[in-house]
């Protein structure tokens, strides 16, 4: 991914070498008030993704996540950690996903998602923002210690 900066006086019509179109990624904040209606939520996710060219995901807390990648629904299990504070878990997830992608852009989405999932699983085990921010070593330790349910 690269950016090409231009202005009205010295404009360019060609992007810099290495530029790639960004594939859209959407994380929805869809929540069901009735756990018996998760199938309705899943169907809404698939319908949302049908009109979108990229990846659409919905976090389900202790139940994991749903992702629609290139039209295919994936159920991704959660790590069985004892949650102490879930505030900011989504922010940790998104930051870790971007970190993983920028560290290894050729890796498949499953690798980035797995890294981000482990980072947020690490984070919710601690109170407060500073204690929860994981290092790459913390993420690897979480992946090694816990098995998704």
């Amino acid at each position: 991914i690269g950016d090409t900066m231009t202005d009205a006086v010295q404009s360019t019509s060609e992007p810099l070498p290495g530029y790639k179109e960004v594939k859209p990624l959407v994380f929805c904040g869809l929540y069901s008030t009735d756990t018996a209606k998760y199938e309705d939520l899943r169907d809404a996710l698939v319908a949302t993704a049908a009109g979108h060219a990229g990846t659409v995901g919905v976090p389900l807390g202790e139940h994991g996540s749903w992702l629609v990648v290139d039209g295919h629904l994936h159920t991704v299990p959660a790590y069985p950690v004892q949650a102490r504070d879930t505030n900011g878990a989504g922010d940790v997830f998104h930051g870790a996903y971007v970190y993983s992608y920028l560290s290894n852009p050729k890796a498949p989405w499953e690798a980035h998602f797995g890294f981000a999932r482990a980072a947020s699983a690490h984070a919710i085990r601690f109170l407060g923002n500073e204690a929860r921010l994981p290092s790459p070593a913390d993420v690897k330790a979480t992946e090694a210690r816990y098995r998704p349910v």
Side-chain angles (χ1 to χ4, degrees):
I1 299 173
D3 290 325
T4 299
M5 304 298 275
T6 189
D7 63 37
V9 177
Q10 292 182 300
S11 65
T12 182
S13 60
E14 297 296 318
L16 293 174
Y19 175 81
K20 294 188 288 184
E21 287 291 326
V22 176
K23 187 172 184 180
L25 177 65
V26 174
F27 286 90
C28 299
L30 301 175
Y31 302 93
S32 176
T33 57
D34 183 352
T35 56
K37 295 188 177 184
Y38 268 119
E39 290 76 25
D40 293 344
L41 181 61
R42 184 192 61 226
D43 294 345
L45 171 66
V46 172
T48 299
H52 192 285
T55 300
V56 179
V58 173
L60 302 170
E62 65 189 33
H63 303 290
S65 300
W66 285 325
L67 286 177
V68 179
V69 180
D70 297 325
H72 301 285
L73 177 68
H74 302 272
T75 300
V76 182
Y79 283 103
V81 299
Q82 181 66 41
R84 293 186 68 199
D85 182 0
T86 61
N87 188 31
D91 294 332
V92 170
F93 179 93
H94 294 120
Y97 192 98
V98 169
Y99 170 85
S100 178
Y101 178 80
L102 292 175
S103 296
N104 188 3
K106 294 184 180 187
W109 70 266
E110 294 94 342
H112 305 309
F113 192 86
F115 184 86
R117 178 178 58 152
S120 61
H122 168 85
I124 65 173
R125 296 173 43 232
F126 299 93
L127 285 173
N129 289 328
E130 289 183 25
R132 77 175 53 225
L133 293 177
S135 68
D138 292 329
V139 175
K140 295 292 182 197
T142 299
E143 290 175 318
R145 181 175 178 191
Y146 298 98
R147 298 251 185 249
V149 293

XYZ file of all heavy atoms in Angstrom, residues 45-83:
275
model
N -25.582 -10.206 8.768
C -24.175 -10.039 8.433
C -23.905 -10.463 6.995
O -23.260 -9.753 6.228
C -23.301 -10.846 9.389
C -21.822 -10.950 9.030
C -21.154 -9.592 9.121
C -21.138 -11.948 9.932
N -24.398 -11.617 6.632
C -24.191 -12.127 5.273
C -24.828 -11.184 4.255
O -24.250 -10.893 3.206
C -24.725 -13.573 5.143
C -24.694 -14.037 3.705
C -23.913 -14.513 6.027
N -26.013 -10.666 4.564
C -26.683 -9.726 3.661
C -25.895 -8.426 3.539
O -25.776 -7.872 2.440
C -28.101 -9.446 4.158
N -25.324 -7.949 4.659
C -24.509 -6.735 4.624
C -23.279 -6.955 3.757
O -22.913 -6.117 2.938
C -24.073 -6.337 6.045
O -25.245 -6.072 6.819
C -23.175 -5.115 6.040
N -22.651 -8.105 3.921
C -21.436 -8.411 3.171
C -21.709 -8.577 1.682
O -20.825 -8.327 0.862
C -20.786 -9.677 3.725
N -22.918 -8.993 1.325
C -23.242 -9.224 -0.086
C -23.095 -7.952 -0.909
O -22.753 -8.012 -2.084
C -24.651 -9.780 -0.224
N -23.325 -6.793 -0.297
C -23.203 -5.525 -1.012
C -21.865 -4.857 -0.799
O -21.692 -3.690 -1.092
N -20.896 -5.600 -0.285
C -19.599 -5.045 0.076
C -18.504 -5.901 -0.544
O -18.580 -7.116 -0.528
C -19.480 -5.041 1.604
C -18.335 -4.248 2.106
N -17.049 -4.697 2.027
C -18.276 -3.036 2.688
C -16.242 -3.789 2.545
N -16.968 -2.786 2.953
N -17.472 -5.278 -1.060
C -16.438 -6.033 -1.772
C -15.378 -6.646 -0.868
O -14.609 -7.477 -1.304
C -15.744 -5.103 -2.774
N -15.321 -6.246 0.401
C -14.231 -6.695 1.253
C -14.643 -7.685 2.307
O -15.413 -8.606 2.067
N -14.123 -7.478 3.498
C -14.342 -8.350 4.641
C -15.269 -7.659 5.621
O -15.109 -6.484 5.911
C -12.994 -8.655 5.333
O -12.148 -9.290 4.385
C -13.174 -9.546 6.532
N -16.238 -8.397 6.140
C -17.165 -7.865 7.133
C -17.104 -8.781 8.344
O -17.174 -10.001 8.210
C -18.610 -7.793 6.589
C -19.555 -7.261 7.648
C -18.669 -6.922 5.350
N -16.957 -8.193 9.528
C -16.853 -8.995 10.736
C -17.747 -8.492 11.843
O -18.036 -7.302 11.930
N -18.185 -9.413 12.686
C -19.000 -9.081 13.853
C -18.428 -9.807 15.062
O -18.311 -11.033 15.049
C -20.478 -9.503 13.658
C -21.269 -9.302 14.943
C -21.118 -8.719 12.537
N -18.041 -9.050 16.103
C -17.585 -9.699 17.326
C -18.768 -10.248 18.121
O -19.817 -9.629 18.184
C -16.897 -8.567 18.091
C -17.590 -7.334 17.619
C -17.996 -7.594 16.186
N -18.573 -11.424 18.698
C -19.631 -12.064 19.482
C -19.188 -12.317 20.921
O -19.708 -13.200 21.596
C -20.045 -13.385 18.822
C -20.544 -13.291 17.385
C -20.693 -14.680 16.790
C -21.855 -12.522 17.331
N -18.184 -11.578 21.369
C -17.697 -11.724 22.735
C -17.173 -13.123 22.999
O -16.397 -13.666 22.228
N -17.654 -13.731 24.060
C -17.189 -15.072 24.437
C -17.558 -16.143 23.419
O -17.058 -17.260 23.462
C -17.746 -15.454 25.800
C -19.255 -15.596 25.814
C -19.827 -15.762 27.205
O -19.275 -15.194 28.147
O -20.844 -16.466 27.340
N -18.424 -15.798 22.477
C -18.828 -16.745 21.431
C -17.938 -16.661 20.188
O -18.183 -17.363 19.210
C -20.291 -16.524 21.041
C -21.226 -16.626 22.196
N -21.499 -17.820 22.833
C -21.922 -15.682 22.857
C -22.335 -17.605 23.832
N -22.604 -16.317 23.862
N -16.934 -15.772 20.208
C -16.028 -15.643 19.075
C -16.438 -14.523 18.146
O -16.856 -13.462 18.583
N -16.353 -14.769 16.862
C -16.687 -13.768 15.842
C -17.195 -14.460 14.594
O -16.905 -15.629 14.357
C -15.447 -12.954 15.449
O -14.906 -12.276 16.531
N -17.918 -13.690 13.819
C -18.271 -14.114 12.470
C -17.557 -13.188 11.508
O -17.500 -11.980 11.710
C -19.761 -14.011 12.215
C -20.586 -15.069 12.850
C -20.253 -16.380 13.042
C -21.896 -14.916 13.373
N -21.282 -17.044 13.656
C -22.307 -16.175 13.875
C -22.766 -13.854 13.483
C -23.539 -16.383 14.460
C -24.002 -14.056 14.068
C -24.381 -15.315 14.542
N -17.045 -13.765 10.451
C -16.426 -12.989 9.385
C -16.982 -13.457 8.058
O -17.165 -14.663 7.853
C -14.917 -13.213 9.340
C -14.057 -12.572 10.400
C -12.613 -12.987 10.199
C -14.171 -11.072 10.338
N -17.227 -12.522 7.189
C -17.549 -12.860 5.806
C -16.387 -12.331 4.975
O -16.120 -11.127 4.953
C -18.888 -12.249 5.352
C -19.153 -12.612 3.897
C -20.025 -12.719 6.238
N -15.651 -13.253 4.364
C -14.484 -12.920 3.546
C -14.753 -13.442 2.142
O -14.973 -14.643 1.958
C -13.203 -13.557 4.115
C -12.000 -13.205 3.252
C -12.985 -13.131 5.558
N -14.760 -12.525 1.191
C -15.012 -12.894 -0.208
C -16.277 -13.732 -0.357
O -16.305 -14.724 -1.086
C -13.799 -13.630 -0.793
C -12.558 -12.753 -0.818
O -12.705 -11.536 -1.041
O -11.443 -13.287 -0.631
N -17.324 -13.365 0.385
C -18.621 -14.034 0.273
C -18.786 -15.294 1.096
O -19.850 -15.898 1.091
N -17.756 -15.716 1.827
C -17.831 -16.944 2.625
C -17.878 -16.608 4.111
O -17.034 -15.862 4.612
C -16.631 -17.851 2.340
C -16.535 -18.255 0.901
N -17.367 -19.202 0.352
C -15.724 -17.836 -0.095
C -17.063 -19.351 -0.919
N -16.076 -18.529 -1.222
N -18.848 -17.182 4.810
C -19.002 -16.965 6.244
C -18.055 -17.882 7.012
O -17.989 -19.079 6.764
C -20.450 -17.249 6.674
C -20.730 -17.127 8.168
C -20.618 -15.676 8.623
C -22.112 -17.680 8.490
N -17.314 -17.289 7.943
C -16.403 -18.034 8.808
C -16.800 -17.788 10.255
O -17.018 -16.641 10.650
C -14.955 -17.570 8.612
C -14.470 -17.695 7.213
N -13.883 -18.842 6.737
C -14.506 -16.824 6.178
C -13.556 -18.666 5.481
N -13.926 -17.460 5.111
N -16.887 -18.850 11.041
C -17.102 -18.726 12.480
C -15.752 -18.923 13.142
O -15.101 -19.949 12.951
C -18.096 -19.782 12.984
O -19.338 -19.585 12.306
C -18.323 -19.653 14.479
N -15.319 -17.910 13.879
C -14.009 -17.948 14.514
C -14.221 -18.027 16.027
O -14.832 -17.135 16.615
C -13.187 -16.692 14.145
C -11.806 -16.757 14.752
C -13.113 -16.539 12.629
N -13.735 -19.095 16.663
C -13.970 -19.260 18.097
C -13.169 -18.270 18.937
O -12.157 -17.736 18.495
C -13.510 -20.695 18.362
C -12.543 -20.997 17.279
C -12.981 -20.195 16.087
N -13.639 -18.060 20.163
C -12.956 -17.180 21.109
C -11.946 -17.983 21.927
O -12.055 -19.198 22.051
C -13.980 -16.545 22.047
N -10.982 -17.284 22.486
C -10.085 -17.899 23.455
C -10.802 -17.962 24.800
O -11.472 -16.997 25.188
C -8.802 -17.084 23.601
C -7.824 -17.280 22.471
C -7.684 -16.331 21.471
C -7.032 -18.419 22.421
C -6.779 -16.512 20.441
C -6.125 -18.611 21.390
C -6.009 -17.659 20.409
O -5.118 -17.844 19.391
N -10.673 -19.049 25.543
C -11.381 -19.190 26.822
C -10.633 -18.509 27.972
O -10.139 -19.163 28.889
C -11.435 -20.706 27.011
C -10.178 -21.192 26.367
C -9.966 -20.275 25.183
N -10.537 -17.205 27.922
C -9.840 -16.467 28.972
C -10.856 -15.913 29.974
O -12.027 -15.728 29.648
C -8.990 -15.313 28.394
C -7.919 -15.842 27.456
C -9.845 -14.286 27.688
N -10.389 -15.645 31.187
C -11.233 -15.025 32.205
C -11.197 -13.512 31.980
O -10.173 -12.877 32.193
C -10.710 -15.368 33.613
C -11.540 -14.785 34.724
C -12.939 -15.382 34.771
O -13.117 -16.566 34.592
N -13.928 -14.552 34.993
N -12.299 -12.955 31.541
C -12.358 -11.520 31.231
C -12.502 -10.720 32.520
O -13.383 -10.990 33.331
C -13.521 -11.231 30.296
